[in-house]
Amino acid sequence: MKKLHLKIVLFCAALGQIPVSWECFAQDALPELVERGKYLATAADCNACHSDPLSGNAFSGGYRVKTPLGDIVASNITPSKVSGIGGWSLSRFSDAVRKGRVGLHFLYPAMPYPEYSGISDADIKALYSYFQLGVSPIEHKPEATHLDFPFNIRFLMAGWDIVFGGGKPTDSAQTSGERRGEYLATALGHCSSCHSPRNVFMGIDRSEYLSGGKVGAWTAPNITSDVRDGIGLWSEQDLESYLKTGVAHGKAIAAGDMAVAIQNSFSLMNNDDIRALARYIKSV
């Protein structure tokens, strides 16, 4: 399959139909991983921040993430070689997603790379394949992010990353049950980026994991199994229903950013993953 794909691309290039360089083939984007990558991008809710709010174009950037430090504008992650990530290698893509940096350019943690750091190597490769081969390139250059001093000094993020950055990729991505749910919640689904409080440095307070947080004007509730403040009275079936449909009968109806996440992400995940996610969250 790989050889056939390579021959087709080289044939088209020979006819002058597409530009090609050998750098493209060193990037490890595999056609057979595109569908898997698409599912993972849905589970990670990538389009929630990276869609263009004006045109509605998926992954073309421009969405403004409201933070206490100012608005952070999401970038174009289509395979455009001018405006997006079309010229990126797998290594460059992995560093951006899991480490929050592209060379010496540091990202702000509105991009949940501390959580994405746990994404497995196999899943990173599938995501890369999807964004390079399964997404249409769009020539849209979003406005650059401009924060006030000293937050506009991006190199300061190097120190922030040492203290609050993520860990190592997980080895449990392909497991089932609660371990699979933990991977979905802590890495791909990045639940703590909304549902955990942050300290004065905007780092996630791990000691209060999933006990509630602020997302702009929206308050993300406590989703631990605390009976009084959390979802301790919910069954796993209640939580599965909520994630799939936005409704836990007699308990809650999703609204705000959570309703959008359910519509664009959770409701599109397979039943096994939703069941695993619900089981893990109920264990917290």
Side-chain angles (χ1 to χ4, degrees), residues 135-156:
V135 174
S136 298
I138 297 175
E139 303 303 333
H140 172 240
K141 197 73 173 177
E143 176 188 346
T145 295
H146 296 289
L147 300 183
D148 293 334
F149 180 84
F151 308 113
N152 60 338
I153 304 175
R154 295 227 182 201
F155 192 71
L156 293 176

Side-chain angles (χ1 to χ4, degrees), residues 205-219:
D205 185 350
R206 304 293 177 183
S207 68
E208 298 290 335
Y209 179 62
L210 301 187
S211 65
K214 291 285 290 184
V215 185
W218 178 61
T219 299

Side-chain angles (χ1 to χ4, degrees), residues 18-19 23-24 27 29 34 47 50 57-61 75-89 93 127-141:
I18 59 174
E23 181 186 6
C24 298
Q27 293 180 343
V34 169
N47 198 36
H50 286 281
N57 288 329
F59 307 122
S60 62
S75 58
N76 182 332
I77 56 171
T78 73
S80 162
K81 292 190 176 180
V82 176
S83 307
I85 63 172
W88 287 21
S89 66
F93 177 82
L127 282 165
Y128 176 74
S129 297
Y130 170 61
F131 281 110
Q132 293 294 338
L133 303 177
V135 174
S136 298
I138 297 175
E139 303 303 333
H140 172 240
K141 197 73 173 177

Side-chain angles (χ1 to χ4, degrees), residues 227-249:
V227 173
R228 186 186 67 179
D229 298 321
I231 57 172
L233 297 178
W234 292 34
S235 67
E236 285 185 21
Q237 290 71 33
D238 289 332
L239 191 50
E240 288 177 35
S241 174
Y242 183 78
L243 292 171
K244 261 303 192 186
T245 68
V247 177
H249 294 286

